[in-house]
Amino acid sequence: MAGQQARQAGQTQRTIHVGGEWREAASRATREILDPADAKPFAVVAEGDERDADAAVAAARRAFDSGEWPHTPVAERAALLRRVADLLVRDRESLGLLESRDAGKTLEEGRVDIDCVADAFRYFADLVVGEGGGRVVDAGSPDIHSVVVHEPVGVCAMITPWNYPLLQASWKIAPALAAGNTFVIKPSEITPLTTAALVDLFVEAGAPAGVANIVTGPGHTVGARLAEHPDVDLISFTGGLASGTKVAQAAAVSVKKVALELGGKNPNVVFADACETDEDFDTAVDQALNAAFIHSGQVCSAGGRLIVEESVRERFVAELVRRAGRIRLGRGTEDGVECGPLVSEQQREKVEGFVASALAEGAVLRTGGRRPEPSDVRPAAGYFFEPTVLDQCHRGMKVVREEVFGPVLTVETFRTEDEAVALANDTEYGLAGAVWTSDAGRARRVAGRLRHGTVWINDFHPYLPQAEWGGFGKSGVGRELGPAGLAEYRETKHVYQNLAPKPVRWFAG
């Protein structure tokens, strides 16, 4: 079965793939991968460094410059993507389990992630096949043929986060390969397993040597080298603002293309008219829980800021608190578990710091805010943290301004539509947001005024492969998914052909 070399727990995995071969790290260093549910190691992977990054870039450079993959017919490139999608479907259960153990999410979330990854590969395969041969530009003469065409950028370096390892990788790899590029990917050093398994699927699907390369290792060595490498033509990074800033600075030296998908501090605005019936009220509450607590809040688009109209605030928050307190925490592979652990002890300590600062600044703890008691599905050593609701919050609080990346929901209130919009836009980020209302006119007005890359109306979290994903402000630059996601991995060329050339006689001769 594909990816077997990346799934044999307890053995050292050769998770560095360069030029068509799996290999150890140049230094022979390794890293243990911990299951966040019990803090026990369940895999050992290669720990690469700058030398491995250089080797991978050189392999990708050779594969691109040889012309084999960039000049492969579009239909053949699309066929490779579809074969990989089929293999993902075949391995859905094993990959979903691996994603659950690696990142701590529930098994069902892991399975859904694999479905979305397969959808992304199929979407970009269909998109690139359905394109025309370029845009004709009218030069005003029958003797001139002028066309704008799109070509691959070249060698693409990709750095992906730990929260959605395989999904985020697919958003970069699928359009890059569809466009004819080669790539080197560096997954998060704490959740690298499914990305290594994906590269193994590319090998099985028949990707030419050097087209798909992976180097596992830390960001400060492997990631930094990829960002600055002169033979890398594009760097695509998804992660935190501080690291993204460093990537952009390193890339600027060689003026390479940069795509950054960074953090979010996403408002979920609930108007009173969205709660007029019991069914509507229950739906809005349920979606607020989903917005804040899916994958333990470790989602860049998490709706961690509930902004609710004052007239329904107490009823809404009371029900939210009741249901949040009943969320079943535990190992993601256990039946009935609704929320898994945080990804690491470091991440849990960070979340605890946010809660402590909020309470010091005057927030009211309505539920959660601590480590839960151990149970048969919740080992004591696991990185669990209770879903937390902080009431009476305001914009001056650190927990409201900064990305928590954990199961923490803050509550703010408003009285007017203008106040709701002002609160929702009062952030340095601008990734995503939602508005809940039964008034269609208000929905369109508020959505139009929100300065966020994605705005949901009466929903939260869905995304479409056909729709671009990106943000405003410090949420990053560039777009993923959709036609714009494919365009990120291309250069534009203008081809001007004179069919009847004549002397111009600008100079005497």
Side-chain angles (χ1 to χ4, degrees):
M1 182 172 290
Q4 190 65 29
Q5 66 82 35
R7 292 201 281 272
Q8 296 172 344
Q11 301 180 24
T12 299
Q13 312 304 330
R14 295 189 176 185
T15 48
I16 295 175
H17 190 262
V18 174
E21 296 181 350
W22 291 101
R23 59 173 69 177
E24 295 177 335
S27 66
R28 298 196 175 182
T30 60
R31 172 187 289 265
E32 287 185 332
I33 302 302
L34 304 182
D35 185 333
D38 57 18
K40 294 180 180 178
F42 74 101
V44 181
V45 302
E47 180 87 330
D49 60 22
E50 294 92 337
R51 290 169 291 177
D52 301 289
D54 286 345
V57 171
R61 185 83 266 162
R62 288 192 299 272
F64 184 83
D65 290 347
S66 73
E68 178 184 358
W69 182 248
H71 296 131
T72 296
V74 167
E76 292 183 26
R77 296 204 302 264
L80 175 68
L81 297 185
R82 293 192 183 104
R83 288 196 297 273
V84 171
D86 291 342
L87 294 173
L88 285 161
V89 172
R90 182 197 70 185
D91 292 354
R92 179 180 188 258
E93 198 64 23
S94 60
L95 287 170
L97 176 61
L98 190 61
E99 197 79 327
S100 173
R101 293 198 69 189
D102 209 8
K105 61 184 64 181
T106 66
L107 181 55
E108 185 56 31
E109 287 180 84
R111 291 171 177 145
V112 170
D113 283 1
I114 306 308
D115 294 340
C116 293
V117 172
D119 288 346
F121 278 104
R122 291 195 176 109
Y123 168 74
F124 282 107
D126 292 344
L127 179 63
V128 74
V129 166
E131 292 183 317
R135 177 170 59 88
V136 176
V137 178
D138 185 2
S141 169
D143 293 333
I144 302 298
H145 176 70
S146 179
V147 62
V148 175
V149 296
H150 301 292
E151 296 188 348
V153 172
V155 175
C156 300
M158 305 163 180
I159 303 174
T160 53
W162 48 258
N163 60 331
Y164 285 90
L166 201 57
L167 187 63
Q168 292 289 343
S170 72
W171 288 13
K172 302 177 190 300
I173 291 173
L177 292 185
N181 300 284
T182 60
F183 74 86
V184 179
I185 190 165
K186 190 209 87 66
S188 167
E189 56 267 34
I190 58 177
T191 58
L193 299 177
T194 51
T195 308
L198 177 62
V199 172
D200 215 18
L201 295 184
F202 273 104
V203 174
E204 183 178 354
V211 169
N213 306 275
I214 179 174
V215 179
T216 49
H220 69 272
T221 55
V222 178
R225 180 56 180 155
L226 291 176
E228 70 183 13
H229 202 296
D231 281 340
V232 167
D233 300 296
L234 175 149
I235 181 78
S236 178
F237 171 87
T238 299
L241 176 61
S243 296
T245 301
K246 293 178 181 178
V247 166
Q249 291 170 340
V253 176
S254 54
V255 202
K256 57 174 58 71
K257 290 189 71 175
V258 178
L260 302 174
E261 200 275 277
L262 306 177
K265 194 63 185 175
N266 313 293
N268 186 22
V269 180
V270 179
F271 285 91
D273 60 23
C275 305
E276 289 178 341
T277 70
D278 289 342
E279 182 179 3
D280 290 344
F281 175 81
D282 182 65
T283 297
V285 170
D286 187 67
Q287 287 282 8
L289 291 163
N290 173 56
F293 300 129
I294 192 169
H295 192 18
S296 296
Q298 299 171 119
V299 187
C300 61
S301 58
R305 290 181 67 198
L306 175 64
I307 302 174
V308 60
E309 192 164 354
E310 188 175 68
S311 61
V312 294
R313 186 194 72 84
E314 188 50 46
R315 179 189 175 210
F316 196 96
V317 175
E319 179 61 12
L320 188 73
V321 166
R322 184 188 72 81
R323 290 190 54 184
R326 299 178 64 184
I327 292 175
R328 295 186 291 274
L329 296 178
R331 186 188 297 273
T333 55
E334 297 285 348
D335 291 339
V337 165
E338 298 171 319
C339 205
L342 297 179
V343 75
S344 66
E345 179 60 26
Q346 179 184 17
Q347 188 62 23
R348 181 168 64 176
E349 290 176 353
K350 177 184 173 184
V351 172
E352 289 175 329
F354 271 107
V355 173
S357 72
L359 298 179
E361 292 171 339
V364 175
L365 179 66
R366 296 288 295 267
T367 190
R370 63 187 181 90
R371 303 181 184 192
E373 293 296 323
S375 72
D376 55 343
V377 299
R378 199 166 52 241
Y383 309 132
F384 297 97
F385 194 78
E386 291 183 348
T388 300
V389 178
L390 295 168
D391 202 357
Q392 298 183 27
C393 295
H394 57 78
R395 182 65 178 87
M397 295 176 175
K398 177 182 177 181
V399 74
V400 176
R401 297 193 312 272
E402 299 182 16
E403 187 176 36
V404 177
F405 232 64
V408 176
L409 178 65
T410 62
V411 180
E412 302 164 78
T413 58
F414 68 91
R415 294 181 179 178
T416 68
E417 183 177 312
D418 285 344
E419 186 181 2
V421 171
L423 285 171
N425 284 336
D426 190 8
T427 174
E428 293 181 333
Y429 297 99
L431 186 62
V435 53
W436 288 81
T437 177
S438 61
D439 184 330
R442 169 181 282 162
R444 288 191 294 271
R445 285 194 309 272
V446 174
R449 295 173 67 188
L450 291 183
R451 295 282 297 167
H452 300 274
T454 294
V455 178
W456 296 291
I457 298 174
N458 297 338
D459 210 331
F460 210 103
H461 275 320
Y463 79 92
L464 303 174
Q466 305 92 326
E468 287 84 14
W469 176 263
F472 298 170
K474 291 185 177 179
S475 285
V477 295
R479 311 293 289 185
E480 294 189 311
L481 299 176
L486 182 62
E488 289 287 341
Y489 292 91
R490 285 174 161 168
E491 298 283 14
T492 301
K493 177 187 285 185
H494 176 209
V495 179
Y496 179 102
Q497 181 180 11
N498 191 334
L499 303 175
K502 300 178 178 65
V504 292
R505 299 300 185 192
W506 284 110
F507 306 103

